[in-house]
Amino acid sequence: MKKITKIASLLALAVIFAAFISCNKKSAESSDSQKKTIRAATKGRPVPYITVDKDGKLDGYDIAVFNEVFSRLPQYTVNLIVTDDALTGVLSGQYDISVNNWSYNDKRAVSYYYSYPYDKIVYDFMQRKGDIPLTSFADAAERGYTLAAGPGNNVANAVEIWNENHPDKKIKIEYTEADTAIILQQIADGKVDFMVHDHPIALNYIETYGAEDTIELHPVSEEASVQIANLKAVYSYYLLPKDEKGAQLREEVNKVLKEMHDDGTLLSISQKYFQADQVPESSNYEKTIN
């Protein structure tokens, strides 16, 4: 009789345990079904901020920060894809957020919300090896140097403004959309004198194109960096649609970015990918830029 009672008790426990497991499974499934999906887009560049390996796996500083942000927002499931439509797709409503090392400009700010910044850009002058290091735009103007720059980029815009404000000390601009390898060779050959890029990208170009023996990097002064960036473009941001949904998501993302700044996570990721501190100052987490 005792044996039958014991078996019955075990069966009852088994039924209770199975019911418990089933309930937990249903609860988890229900929780997953209640999560909102965030459609995120990236162009998969610029390297090394964003990289894509042969299997399509994304990495880089921007991606690492982005993944950490949404790991702290468990109410969301994120679908991050690589597409050339990473900017206009946000405007059309196809994507909820764009991850692409975006800098600030006034025209873009009309159509998109900017998150808090997650990266502070450090610029370098890229010159031929052995040339006297540039220290400022004034220095380049006095030497009669020619800048190689893509039309419409931050550097070209900054130098154009410099030229407008200093008509007697203009810097020549060679507008070009040539491959970077070609421009580096032109600098080495003396056809143009310098480029300006942020440090991780400049370093990657030298390593990628084997230009260690012909090109040197020289840090751009804080004053020249401000001129290049027109103050606001010194930083990188995520872009979101300028609507109610975008405003709410920005608020949530910004809260986490501030947490990551304050608890040292941004610095840790920066040290991992750049071996340097490229974290924005704390004052950038008090008010949004637009």
Side-chain angles (χ1 to χ4, degrees), residues 19-53:
F20 176 76
I21 294 296
S22 176
C23 182
N24 277 355
K25 184 178 179 182
K26 288 179 180 178
S27 177
E29 289 173 350
S30 175
S31 177
D32 287 342
S33 67
Q34 291 174 4
K35 286 188 175 184
K36 298 177 182 177
T37 298
I38 295 299
R39 303 159 300 171
T42 178
K43 291 184 178 182
R45 55 187 187 274
V47 176
Y49 289 101
I50 305 170
T51 62
V52 187
D53 67 16

Side-chain angles (χ1 to χ4, degrees), residues 137-147 159-173:
F137 285 167
D139 196 7
E142 288 171 5
R143 297 189 205 177
Y145 273 9
T146 299
L147 165 78
V159 174
E160 287 166 1
I161 293 171
W162 166 272
N163 288 343
E164 288 174 8
N165 294 333
H166 302 84
D168 57 335
K169 292 183 179 179
K170 288 188 176 182
I171 299 170
K172 300 173 185 176
I173 306 175

Side-chain angles (χ1 to χ4, degrees), residues 182-203:
I182 294 174
I183 301 174
L184 292 178
Q185 189 60 53
Q186 290 175 339
I187 293 173
D189 294 340
K191 294 179 180 179
V192 293
D193 298 294
F194 71 107
M195 281 197 300
V196 178
H197 275 290
D198 75 62
H199 180 72
I201 292 177
L203 195 61

